[in-house]
Amino acid sequence: MEHVIWWQVYPLGFVGAEATSIEGTEHRLDRMVDWFDYLLELGCNGLSLGPVFASSTHGYDTIDHFRIDPRLGETEDLERLIAAAHDRGIKVMLDGVFNHVGRDHPKFRDALRDGPTSEAGQWFRWDGDKPVAFEGHDILVTLNHDNPAVQQYIGDVMTHWLDRGIDAWRLDAAYAIDPSLFRTVLPPVRERAPAAWFVGEMIHGDYEGYVAASGLDSVTQYELWKAMWSSLNDENLFELGHAIERNNGMLEAFVPATFVGNHDVTRIASTLSDERMIPIAVALLFFLAGVPSVYYGDEQGFRGVKEERVGGDDAIRPVFPSGPDELAPYGRGLFELHQALIGVRRRHSWLHSARTEVRDLSNRSATLISRSSGEELILTIDLTLLDSEPAPHGLVAANRNVVASGPGWSIAEPASPAAKSS
């Protein structure tokens, strides 16, 4: 993972699929293959796919983990996508929704018919005679992870798709799953696919403790994500400094999955109060330790606000055009900024697990120094420069070679060993 940068896509939205399941099959996964050149031009080399398995609506209400959603295609379509990705050196990660299933899952239908104590009923958690819904969503019924049959099923699903060539699993809602499930399920899966990477979705909780107890390779770094935008909006870089120190501590045990946007949160361009801060957030993503991902459209400055209602995710999970030439031209500048910052990351791959020292910290300014194996880079942030109209481009960096910069920020390396030591 030291060299992987993911481009995360929500497939059903990306291809403009129907909101609910369909009769017949639409072969739409090839549309993503058509974007592989764009993915590589951006600088990424991993494709992280949201739900692709048969479901009733948004993909997280799975009804068959062994079948591709007919709105996207069938197994052969995914196998072609994986082969085309590997031909270009692109890794593929699938989204494993194993905390819950949809109410139309055949096993749950059997459970409703036969009752909680039946063989099928024991696949699920119950509150009396009512199935336990995940976070109040009635269409999502929670699996009983203590049941060995459920554990076997999850392991079989993982192995089935790893055998077909995928490289990694994102494990949805891991924060709601007892880590002992993965401690039980993963060992035989790893025997079949020793190079696979497993990352759990952790919105809150004890990140280090969960990784240790579960045997996962990584978890999502929501704490750092929150600090990257709220510290800029609130002009309180002390919050960012605290989150960086916490991130440093995690590196003792694992390298977290980092991001400034994903399929579950308001777009970074809509979150930040000043659009000139977007490049600073992106610079932080590629400067700080982690396995970074770019949510499709963020590199073009897409906007979208998540709302807590039915259909409230639609704005952040949009359809993409048929090809890059149909993208609006005003997104090109942010795309090129991503290219430049990913280029910095590529040339300094040690940033993957580098510890970052926070210096000269104030509400509106900070100097961040990342080091590893004798190498060093400095990210300087000064929000006071944004008070100017227009803001100055970059910062004055004495005894440093600036490798990337923008209004209110710059990334530089020491100009000489003597400058580095001082």
Side-chain angles (χ1 to χ4, degrees):
M1 287 299 114
E2 181 180 358
H3 301 287
V4 177
I5 297 173
W6 299 100
W7 194 51
Q8 185 199 1
V9 171
Y10 176 74
L12 292 169
F14 186 95
V15 303
E18 297 83 354
T20 58
S21 58
I22 61 173
E23 298 293 333
T25 302
E26 292 287 341
H27 299 275
R28 290 167 165 151
L29 281 175
D30 285 345
R31 297 187 190 181
M32 274 180 275
V33 177
D34 294 338
W35 283 84
F36 282 179
D37 287 345
Y38 172 92
L39 179 158
L40 292 168
E41 182 188 3
L42 178 62
C44 297
N45 61 342
L47 176 65
S48 174
L49 293 174
V52 297
F53 304 128
S55 73
S56 299
T57 60
H58 48 52
Y60 289 95
D61 52 342
T62 314
I63 60 176
D64 189 344
H65 289 87
F66 294 98
R67 182 164 63 94
I68 301 303
D69 196 299
R71 292 171 288 176
L72 297 173
E74 52 192 3
T75 296
E76 289 76 13
D77 296 291
L78 181 61
E79 289 177 338
R80 284 197 301 273
L81 180 149
I82 294 168
H86 288 172
D87 283 347
R88 292 168 171 81
I90 299 169
K91 294 187 181 296
V92 177
M93 178 159 61
L94 293 188
D95 202 341
V97 185
F98 300 127
N99 178 67
H100 48 268
V101 297
R103 295 182 72 91
D104 290 327
H105 193 286
K107 189 64 74 170
F108 183 67
R109 288 183 172 179
D110 292 346
L112 284 181
R113 183 193 64 217
D114 300 334
T117 62
S118 67
E119 181 275 333
Q122 294 176 51
W123 275 54
F124 303 95
R125 298 200 180 276
W126 301 82
D127 182 7
D129 60 353
K130 294 182 179 179
V132 175
F134 173 60
E135 296 185 344
H137 300 286
D138 289 341
I139 68 170
L140 306 177
V141 289
T142 305
L143 289 164
N144 174 17
H145 299 122
D146 296 329
N147 185 341
V150 172
Q151 298 168 4
Q152 184 66 49
Y153 175 81
I154 293 171
D156 288 347
V157 172
M158 288 184 179
T159 300
H160 178 84
W161 296 106
L162 286 164
D163 285 348
R164 280 151 184 79
I166 71 164
D167 304 283
W169 277 105
R170 172 195 177 270
L171 302 168
D172 184 68
Y175 61 89
I177 299 173
D178 191 290
S180 62
L181 170 73
F182 298 119
R183 179 62 66 180
T184 299
V185 167
L186 284 182
V189 176
R190 289 190 186 276
E191 286 182 11
R192 292 279 289 274
W197 189 61
F198 299 87
V199 55
E201 181 194 19
M202 289 290 287
I203 297 177
H204 48 71
D206 178 0
Y207 293 1
E208 297 104 313
Y210 196 93
V211 169
S214 66
L216 295 179
D217 296 303
S218 183
V219 295
T220 53
Q221 232 294 31
Y222 267 87
E223 182 179 310
L224 184 60
W225 160 80
K226 192 268 182 183
M228 284 194 286
W229 61 261
S230 65
S231 66
L232 295 175
N233 276 350
D234 298 340
E235 296 190 342
N236 175 20
L237 295 181
F238 286 96
E239 180 188 2
L240 177 65
H242 176 72
I244 289 172
E245 291 299 329
R246 293 267 297 151
N247 199 61
N248 285 340
M250 293 175 197
L251 299 174
E252 299 298 325
F254 70 99
V255 178
T258 52
F259 58 95
V260 297
N262 65 32
H263 64 294
D264 275 333
V265 300
T266 292
R267 292 274 185 180
I268 189 67
S270 296
T271 298
L272 290 172
S273 57
D274 185 336
E275 65 180 12
R276 294 174 300 173
M277 293 180 178
I278 298 173
I280 302 176
V282 179
L284 287 167
L285 174 64
F286 293 110
F287 181 82
L288 297 173
V291 180
S293 66
V294 179
Y295 185 52
Y296 81 109
D298 278 357
E299 77 281 359
Q300 294 286 337
F302 276 29
R303 296 179 179 273
V305 175
K306 178 182 174 69
E307 299 178 6
E308 296 301 327
R309 60 174 178 80
V310 176
D313 293 317
D314 293 350
I316 60 174
R317 301 174 179 180
V319 62
F320 240 44
S322 59
D325 57 342
E326 296 182 20
L327 289 166
Y330 53 75
R332 186 67 192 181
L334 192 54
F335 178 88
E336 291 176 350
L337 174 74
H338 277 76
Q339 285 182 311
L341 290 168
I342 291 173
V344 172
R345 183 69 167 227
R346 293 281 179 223
R347 292 189 295 277
H348 303 275
S349 60
W350 52 267
L351 287 169
H352 167 78
S353 56
R355 275 62 170 175
T356 300
E357 178 187 357
V358 182
R359 284 188 185 175
D360 307 322
L361 183 61
S362 72
N363 282 330
R364 305 185 71 190
S365 63
T367 299
L368 311 179
I369 305 172
S370 288
R371 299 186 181 93
S372 181
S373 303
E375 301 289 336
E376 178 178 296
L377 279 181
I378 306 105
L379 170 58
T380 307
I381 301 171
D382 189 349
L383 301 182
T384 66
L385 296 178
L386 300 183
D387 296 337
S388 306
E389 276 297 337
H393 189 81
L395 305 171
V396 176
N399 296 320
R400 302 176 190 170
N401 294 320
V402 174
V403 296
S405 67
W409 66 277
S410 70
I411 296 177
E413 56 189 7
S416 67
K420 182 186 296 187
S421 63
S422 65

